Amino acid sequence: ETGVTQSPTHLIKTRGQQVTLRCSSQSGHNTVSWYQQALGQGPQFIFQYYREEENGRGNFPPRFSGLQFPNYSSELNVNALELDDSALYLCASSLETGGRETQYFGPGTRLLVL
Amino acid sequence: SQQGEEDPQALSIQEGENATMNCSYKTSINNLQWYRQNSGRGLVHLILIRSNEREKHSGRLRVTLDTSKKSSSLLITASRAADTASYFCATVLTGANSKLTFGKGITLSVRP
């Protein structure tokens, strides 16, 4: 177990709806990254938060947004859901940013958009 | 875009055999990491090798890194049925934040 938790584990939404996914990072970790993993693909970087500020963003549209709270937990919000948003959403926490620290992943939230 | 490309895409071996998986990447890296994923669940970190390292060991795992060829290999010795999973290499680029760039993964099947 990595100590990173995500909720919910599964979610079904319809096209056009909005969704909020949550992540609790490992104790002491101030950096959280979010990834989207489509079926049969590797995870794709969505964005990263470091000490409550966005610290890098991948090639995802603005309807993907996030937050990091003072306790370093994080949320991923997706507006105007599309069918292609169906995927496993993973969050990962690390001690620091900069890429030198191991990232520990949560179990993921599987989102299905109908 | 995929920075890491794993090879082969799928590998099937007998329990007790060694499994070798390869990863190639395109640009200078800070480090390279290998992860395992069971049945679409969360990723489990296996090993991190930094750009100034050439080889690392962890239990039955051996990872090599050749920065001149921009390639890495993961060797699992004496494989077990429980090693059946998808394996991903991921790179962290020099000067970047902690963003991991993953390949598409290798599906390893270990037959009992």
Side-chain angles (χ1 to χ4, degrees), chain A residues 9-69:
Chain A
T9 55
H10 296 81
L11 203 51
I12 300 175
K13 292 284 188 178
T14 55
R15 197 169 44 181
Q17 285 189 312
Q18 177 267 341
V19 69
T20 297
L21 310 182
R22 295 178 175 82
C23 172
S24 290
S25 57
Q26 193 173 118
S27 178
H29 287 191
N30 58 26
T31 303
V32 174
S33 303
W34 285 92
Y35 295 82
Q36 180 196 65
Q37 186 178 20
L39 203 60
Q41 301 293 317
Q44 298 287 312
F45 176 76
I46 303 174
F47 44 57
Q48 179 181 94
Y49 279 83
Y50 170 65
R51 295 180 187 267
E52 303 179 59
E53 297 287 333
E54 188 177 290
N55 182 41
R57 188 180 181 92
N59 190 25
F60 281 81
R63 59 190 186 83
F64 285 78
S65 63
L67 277 176
Q68 187 180 30
F69 300 99

Coordinates of all heavy atoms in Angstrom, one line a residue, chain A residues 9-69:
Chain A
T9 N -14.0 5.0 -6.2 CA -13.3 3.9 -7.0 C -13.9 3.8 -8.4 O -13.1 3.6 -9.3 CB -13.3 2.6 -6.3 OG1 -14.7 2.2 -6.1 CG2 -12.6 2.6 -4.9
H10 N -15.2 3.9 -8.5 CA -15.8 3.8 -9.8 C -16.9 4.9 -9.9 O -17.4 5.3 -8.9 CB -16.5 2.5 -10.0 CG -15.6 1.3 -10.0 ND1 -15.1 0.7 -8.9 CD2 -15.0 0.7 -11.1 CE1 -14.3 -0.3 -9.3 NE2 -14.2 -0.3 -10.6
L11 N -17.1 5.4 -11.1 CA -18.1 6.4 -11.3 C -18.7 6.3 -12.7 O -17.9 6.1 -13.7 CB -17.4 7.8 -11.2 CG -18.1 9.0 -10.8 CD1 -19.0 8.9 -9.6 CD2 -17.1 10.2 -10.6
I12 N -20.0 6.5 -12.8 CA -20.6 6.5 -14.1 C -21.3 7.9 -14.3 O -22.1 8.3 -13.4 CB -21.7 5.4 -14.3 CG1 -21.0 4.0 -14.2 CG2 -22.3 5.5 -15.7 CD1 -21.9 2.8 -14.2
K13 N -21.0 8.5 -15.4 CA -21.6 9.8 -15.7 C -22.1 9.8 -17.1 O -21.8 9.0 -17.9 CB -20.6 11.0 -15.5 CG -20.1 11.2 -14.1 CD -21.2 11.9 -13.3 CE -20.7 12.3 -11.9 NZ -21.7 13.1 -11.2
T14 N -22.9 10.8 -17.4 CA -23.4 11.0 -18.8 C -22.7 12.2 -19.4 O -22.2 13.1 -18.8 CB -24.9 11.1 -18.9 OG1 -25.3 12.2 -18.1 CG2 -25.6 9.9 -18.4
R15 N -22.7 12.2 -20.7 CA -22.0 13.2 -21.5 C -22.6 14.6 -21.1 O -23.8 14.7 -21.0 CB -22.2 12.9 -23.0 CG -21.3 13.7 -23.9 CD -21.5 13.2 -25.3 NE -22.8 13.0 -25.7 CZ -23.2 12.5 -26.9 NH1 -22.3 12.1 -27.8 NH2 -24.5 12.3 -27.2
G16 N -21.7 15.5 -20.9 CA -22.1 16.9 -20.6 C -22.1 17.2 -19.1 O -22.1 18.3 -18.7
Q17 N -22.1 16.1 -18.3 CA -22.0 16.3 -16.8 C -20.7 16.7 -16.4 O -19.7 16.8 -17.1 CB -22.5 15.0 -16.1 CG -24.0 14.8 -16.2 CD -24.4 13.6 -15.3 OE1 -23.7 12.5 -15.3 NE2 -25.4 13.8 -14.5
Q18 N -20.6 17.0 -15.1 CA -19.3 17.4 -14.4 C -19.0 16.4 -13.4 O -19.9 15.7 -12.8 CB -19.5 18.8 -13.8 CG -18.3 19.3 -13.0 CD -18.3 19.0 -11.6 OE1 -19.4 18.7 -11.0 NE2 -17.2 19.0 -10.9
V19 N -17.7 16.2 -13.1 CA -17.3 15.2 -12.1 C -16.1 15.8 -11.3 O -15.3 16.6 -11.8 CB -16.8 13.9 -12.8 CG1 -15.5 14.1 -13.6 CG2 -16.7 12.8 -11.8
T20 N -16.1 15.4 -10.0 CA -15.0 15.7 -9.2 C -14.4 14.4 -8.6 O -15.1 13.6 -8.0 CB -15.4 16.6 -8.0 OG1 -15.9 17.9 -8.5 CG2 -14.3 16.9 -7.1
L21 N -13.1 14.3 -8.8 CA -12.4 13.1 -8.2 C -11.4 13.6 -7.1 O -10.9 14.7 -7.2 CB -11.5 12.4 -9.3 CG -12.3 12.1 -10.6 CD1 -11.4 11.4 -11.6 CD2 -13.5 11.3 -10.3
R22 N -11.2 12.8 -6.1 CA -10.4 13.2 -4.9 C -9.2 12.3 -4.7 O -9.3 11.1 -5.0 CB -11.3 13.3 -3.7 CG -12.4 14.4 -3.8 CD -13.3 14.4 -2.7 NE -14.3 15.5 -2.8 CZ -15.4 15.5 -3.5 NH1 -15.7 14.4 -4.2 NH2 -16.2 16.6 -3.6
C23 N -8.2 12.9 -4.1 CA -7.0 12.2 -3.9 C -6.4 12.7 -2.5 O -6.3 13.9 -2.3 CB -6.0 12.5 -5.0 SG -4.3 11.8 -4.7
S24 N -6.1 11.8 -1.7 CA -5.3 12.1 -0.4 C -3.9 11.6 -0.6 O -3.7 10.4 -0.8 CB -6.0 11.4 0.8 OG -7.2 12.0 1.1
S25 N -3.0 12.5 -0.5 CA -1.6 12.1 -0.7 C -1.0 11.4 0.5 O -1.6 11.5 1.6 CB -0.8 13.3 -1.1 OG -0.9 14.3 -0.1
Q26 N 0.1 10.8 0.3 CA 0.9 10.2 1.4 C 1.3 11.3 2.4 O 1.6 12.4 2.0 CB 2.1 9.4 0.9 CG 2.7 8.5 1.8 CD 3.8 7.6 1.2 OE1 4.9 7.7 1.5 NE2 3.4 6.8 0.2
S27 N 1.3 10.9 3.7 CA 1.7 11.9 4.7 C 3.0 12.5 4.5 O 4.0 11.8 4.2 CB 1.7 11.1 6.1 OG 2.1 12.0 7.1
G28 N 3.1 13.8 4.5 CA 4.3 14.6 4.3 C 4.6 14.9 2.9 O 5.6 15.7 2.6
H29 N 3.8 14.4 1.9 CA 4.0 14.7 0.5 C 3.3 16.0 0.1 O 2.1 16.2 0.3 CB 3.5 13.6 -0.4 CG 4.4 12.4 -0.3 ND1 4.2 11.3 -1.2 CD2 5.4 12.0 0.5 CE1 5.1 10.4 -0.9 NE2 5.8 10.8 0.1
N30 N 4.1 16.9 -0.5 CA 3.5 18.2 -0.9 C 3.2 18.4 -2.4 O 2.8 19.4 -2.8 CB 4.4 19.4 -0.4 CG 5.8 19.3 -1.0 OD1 6.0 18.7 -2.1 ND2 6.8 19.9 -0.4
T31 N 3.5 17.3 -3.1 CA 3.3 17.4 -4.6 C 2.3 16.3 -5.0 O 2.5 15.1 -4.6 CB 4.7 17.2 -5.3 OG1 5.6 18.2 -4.8 CG2 4.5 17.3 -6.8
V32 N 1.3 16.7 -5.8 CA 0.4 15.7 -6.3 C 0.3 15.9 -7.8 O 0.2 17.0 -8.3 CB -1.0 15.9 -5.7 CG1 -2.0 15.0 -6.4 CG2 -1.0 15.6 -4.2
S33 N 0.3 14.8 -8.5 CA 0.1 14.8 -10.0 C -1.1 13.9 -10.3 O -1.4 12.9 -9.7 CB 1.4 14.2 -10.7 OG 2.5 14.9 -10.3
W34 N -1.7 14.3 -11.4 CA -2.9 13.6 -11.9 C -2.6 13.0 -13.3 O -2.0 13.7 -14.1 CB -4.1 14.4 -12.0 CG -4.7 14.7 -10.7 CD1 -4.5 15.8 -9.8 CD2 -5.7 14.0 -10.0 NE1 -5.2 15.7 -8.7 CE2 -6.0 14.6 -8.8 CE3 -6.4 12.8 -10.3 CZ2 -7.0 14.1 -7.9 CZ3 -7.4 12.3 -9.4 CH2 -7.7 13.0 -8.2
Y35 N -3.0 11.8 -13.6 CA -2.8 11.2 -14.9 C -4.1 10.5 -15.3 O -4.9 10.1 -14.5 CB -1.7 10.0 -14.7 CG -0.4 10.5 -14.4 CD1 0.0 10.8 -13.1 CD2 0.6 10.8 -15.4 CE1 1.3 11.3 -12.8 CE2 1.9 11.2 -15.1 CZ 2.2 11.5 -13.8 OH 3.4 12.0 -13.5
Q36 N -4.3 10.5 -16.6 CA -5.4 9.8 -17.3 C -4.9 8.6 -18.0 O -3.9 8.7 -18.8 CB -6.1 10.7 -18.3 CG -7.3 10.1 -19.0 CD -7.7 10.9 -20.2 OE1 -7.0 11.0 -21.2 NE2 -8.9 11.4 -20.2
Q37 N -5.5 7.4 -17.8 CA -5.0 6.2 -18.5 C -6.2 5.6 -19.2 O -7.1 5.1 -18.7 CB -4.4 5.2 -17.5 CG -3.8 4.0 -18.2 CD -3.2 3.0 -17.3 OE1 -3.5 3.0 -16.1 NE2 -2.3 2.2 -17.8
A38 N -6.2 5.8 -20.6 CA -7.2 5.1 -21.4 C -6.9 3.6 -21.5 O -5.7 3.2 -21.3 CB -7.2 5.8 -22.8
L39 N -7.9 2.9 -21.8 CA -7.7 1.4 -21.9 C -6.6 1.0 -22.9 O -6.6 1.5 -24.0 CB -9.0 0.8 -22.4 CG -9.3 -0.7 -22.0 CD1 -9.2 -0.8 -20.5 CD2 -10.6 -1.1 -22.5
G40 N -5.7 0.2 -22.4 CA -4.6 -0.3 -23.3 C -3.5 0.7 -23.5 O -2.6 0.5 -24.4
Q41 N -3.5 1.8 -22.8 CA -2.5 2.9 -23.0 C -1.7 3.1 -21.7 O -2.1 2.7 -20.7 CB -3.1 4.2 -23.5 CG -3.9 4.1 -24.8 CD -3.0 3.8 -25.9 OE1 -2.0 4.4 -26.1 NE2 -3.4 2.9 -26.8
G42 N -0.6 3.8 -21.8 CA 0.1 4.3 -20.6 C -0.6 5.5 -20.1 O -1.3 6.2 -20.8
P43 N -0.3 5.8 -18.8 CA -0.9 7.1 -18.2 C -0.4 8.3 -18.9 O 0.8 8.4 -19.3 CB -0.4 7.0 -16.8 CG -0.1 5.5 -16.5 CD 0.4 5.0 -17.8
Q44 N -1.3 9.3 -19.1 CA -0.9 10.6 -19.6 C -1.0 11.7 -18.6 O -2.0 11.7 -17.8 CB -1.9 10.9 -20.8 CG -1.8 10.0 -22.0 CD -0.5 10.1 -22.8 OE1 -0.2 11.2 -23.1 NE2 0.1 9.0 -23.0
F45 N 0.0 12.5 -18.5 CA 0.1 13.5 -17.5 C -1.0 14.6 -17.7 O -1.0 15.2 -18.8 CB 1.5 14.1 -17.5 CG 1.7 15.3 -16.6 CD1 1.9 15.1 -15.2 CD2 1.8 16.6 -17.0 CE1 2.1 16.1 -14.3 CE2 2.0 17.7 -16.2 CZ 2.2 17.4 -14.8
I46 N -1.8 14.9 -16.7 CA -2.8 16.0 -16.8 C -2.2 17.3 -16.2 O -2.1 18.3 -16.9 CB -4.1 15.6 -16.1 CG1 -4.7 14.3 -16.6 CG2 -5.1 16.7 -16.2 CD1 -5.9 13.8 -15.8
F47 N -1.9 17.3 -15.0 CA -1.2 18.4 -14.3 C -0.7 18.0 -13.0 O -0.9 16.9 -12.5 CB -2.1 19.6 -14.1 CG -3.5 19.3 -13.7 CD1 -3.8 18.7 -12.5 CD2 -4.6 19.7 -14.4 CE1 -5.1 18.4 -12.0 CE2 -5.9 19.5 -14.0 CZ -6.1 18.8 -12.8
Q48 N 0.1 18.9 -12.4 CA 0.7 18.7 -11.1 C 0.5 19.9 -10.2 O 0.5 21.0 -10.7 CB 2.2 18.5 -11.3 CG 3.0 18.3 -10.0 CD 4.5 18.1 -10.2 OE1 5.3 19.0 -10.1 NE2 4.9 16.9 -10.5
Y49 N 0.3 19.6 -8.9 CA 0.2 20.7 -7.9 C 1.3 20.6 -6.9 O 1.6 19.5 -6.4 CB -1.2 20.7 -7.2 CG -2.2 21.3 -8.1 CD1 -2.8 20.6 -9.1 CD2 -2.5 22.7 -7.9 CE1 -3.8 21.2 -9.9 CE2 -3.5 23.3 -8.7 CZ -4.1 22.6 -9.7 OH -5.0 23.2 -10.5
Y50 N 2.0 21.7 -6.6 CA 3.0 21.7 -5.6 C 2.7 22.9 -4.7 O 2.6 24.0 -5.1 CB 4.4 22.0 -6.3 CG 5.5 22.3 -5.4 CD1 6.0 21.3 -4.5 CD2 6.2 23.5 -5.5 CE1 7.1 21.6 -3.7 CE2 7.3 23.8 -4.6 CZ 7.7 22.8 -3.7 OH 8.7 23.1 -2.9
R51 N 2.6 22.5 -3.4 CA 2.2 23.5 -2.4 C 1.1 24.4 -2.8 O 1.2 25.6 -2.7 CB 3.5 24.3 -2.0 CG 4.6 23.5 -1.4 CD 5.8 24.4 -1.1 NE 6.9 23.6 -0.6 CZ 7.2 23.3 0.7 NH1 6.4 23.8 1.6 NH2 8.3 22.6 1.0
E52 N 0.0 23.8 -3.3 CA -1.2 24.4 -3.7 C -1.2 25.2 -5.0 O -2.2 25.9 -5.3 CB -1.7 25.3 -2.5 CG -1.9 24.6 -1.2 CD -2.4 25.5 -0.1 OE1 -3.5 26.1 -0.2 OE2 -1.6 25.7 0.9
E53 N -0.1 25.2 -5.7 CA 0.0 25.9 -7.0 C 0.1 24.9 -8.1 O 0.9 24.0 -7.9 CB 1.1 26.9 -7.0 CG 1.0 28.0 -5.9 CD 0.0 29.1 -6.3 OE1 -0.3 29.3 -7.5 OE2 -0.5 29.7 -5.3
E54 N -0.5 25.2 -9.2 CA -0.3 24.4 -10.4 C 1.2 24.5 -10.9 O 1.7 25.6 -11.0 CB -1.2 24.7 -11.6 CG -1.2 23.7 -12.7 CD -2.1 24.1 -13.8 OE1 -3.3 23.9 -13.6 OE2 -1.6 24.5 -14.9
N55 N 1.8 23.3 -11.1 CA 3.2 23.3 -11.4 C 3.5 22.5 -12.6 O 4.3 21.5 -12.6 CB 4.0 22.7 -10.2 CG 5.5 22.7 -10.4 OD1 6.1 23.6 -10.9 ND2 6.1 21.6 -10.0
G56 N 2.8 22.8 -13.7 CA 3.0 22.0 -14.9 C 1.7 21.4 -15.3 O 0.9 20.9 -14.5
R57 N 1.4 21.4 -16.6 CA 0.2 20.9 -17.2 C 0.5 20.2 -18.5 O 1.3 20.6 -19.3 CB -0.7 22.1 -17.5 CG -2.1 21.7 -17.9 CD -3.0 22.9 -18.1 NE -4.4 22.4 -18.5 CZ -5.3 22.3 -17.6 NH1 -5.2 22.5 -16.3 NH2 -6.5 21.8 -18.0
G58 N -0.2 19.1 -18.7 CA -0.1 18.3 -19.9 C -1.0 18.8 -21.0 O -1.6 19.9 -20.8
N59 N -1.2 18.1 -22.1 CA -2.0 18.5 -23.2 C -3.5 18.2 -23.0 O -4.0 17.4 -23.7 CB -1.4 17.8 -24.5 CG -2.0 18.4 -25.7 OD1 -2.5 19.5 -25.7 ND2 -2.1 17.6 -26.8
F60 N -4.1 18.8 -22.0 CA -5.5 18.6 -21.7 C -6.2 20.0 -21.8 O -5.6 21.0 -21.4 CB -5.6 18.0 -20.3 CG -5.4 16.5 -20.3 CD1 -4.1 16.0 -20.3 CD2 -6.4 15.6 -20.4 CE1 -3.8 14.6 -20.3 CE2 -6.2 14.2 -20.4 CZ -4.9 13.7 -20.4
P61 N -7.5 19.9 -22.2 CA -8.2 21.2 -22.4 C -8.5 21.8 -21.0 O -8.5 21.1 -20.0 CB -9.5 20.8 -23.1 CG -9.6 19.4 -22.8 CD -8.3 18.8 -22.7
P62 N -8.9 23.1 -21.0 CA -9.2 23.8 -19.7 C -10.3 23.2 -18.9 O -10.4 23.5 -17.7 CB -9.5 25.2 -20.2 CG -8.9 25.4 -21.5 CD -8.9 24.0 -22.1
R63 N -11.2 22.4 -19.6 CA -12.3 21.8 -18.8 C -11.8 20.8 -17.7 O -12.5 20.4 -16.9 CB -13.3 21.2 -19.7 CG -12.8 20.2 -20.6 CD -13.9 19.8 -21.7 NE -13.4 18.6 -22.4 CZ -13.6 17.4 -22.0 NH1 -14.2 17.1 -20.9 NH2 -13.1 16.4 -22.8
F64 N -10.5 20.5 -17.8 CA -9.8 19.7 -16.8 C -9.1 20.7 -15.9 O -8.3 21.5 -16.3 CB -8.7 18.8 -17.4 CG -9.3 17.6 -18.1 CD1 -9.8 17.7 -19.3 CD2 -9.3 16.3 -17.4 CE1 -10.3 16.5 -20.0 CE2 -9.8 15.2 -18.1 CZ -10.3 15.3 -19.3
S65 N -9.6 20.8 -14.6 CA -9.0 21.7 -13.7 C -8.8 21.0 -12.3 O -9.3 19.9 -12.1 CB -9.9 22.9 -13.4 OG -11.2 22.5 -12.9
G66 N -8.0 21.6 -11.5 CA -7.6 21.0 -10.2 C -7.5 21.9 -9.1 O -7.5 23.2 -9.3
L67 N -7.3 21.4 -7.9 CA -7.1 22.1 -6.7 C -6.2 21.3 -5.8 O -6.3 20.1 -5.8 CB -8.4 22.4 -6.0 CG -9.3 23.5 -6.3 CD1 -10.6 23.5 -5.5 CD2 -8.6 24.8 -6.2
Q68 N -5.4 22.0 -5.0 CA -4.7 21.3 -3.9 C -5.0 22.1 -2.7 O -4.9 23.3 -2.7 CB -3.2 21.2 -4.2 CG -2.5 20.3 -3.2 CD -1.0 20.2 -3.4 OE1 -0.3 21.1 -3.9 NE2 -0.4 19.1 -3.0
F69 N -5.2 21.4 -1.6 CA -5.6 22.0 -0.4 C -4.4 22.1 0.6 O -3.4 21.5 0.4 CB -6.8 21.2 0.3 CG -8.0 21.1 -0.6 CD1 -8.2 20.0 -1.4 CD2 -8.9 22.2 -0.7 CE1 -9.3 20.0 -2.2 CE2 -10.0 22.1 -1.5 CZ -10.2 21.0 -2.3

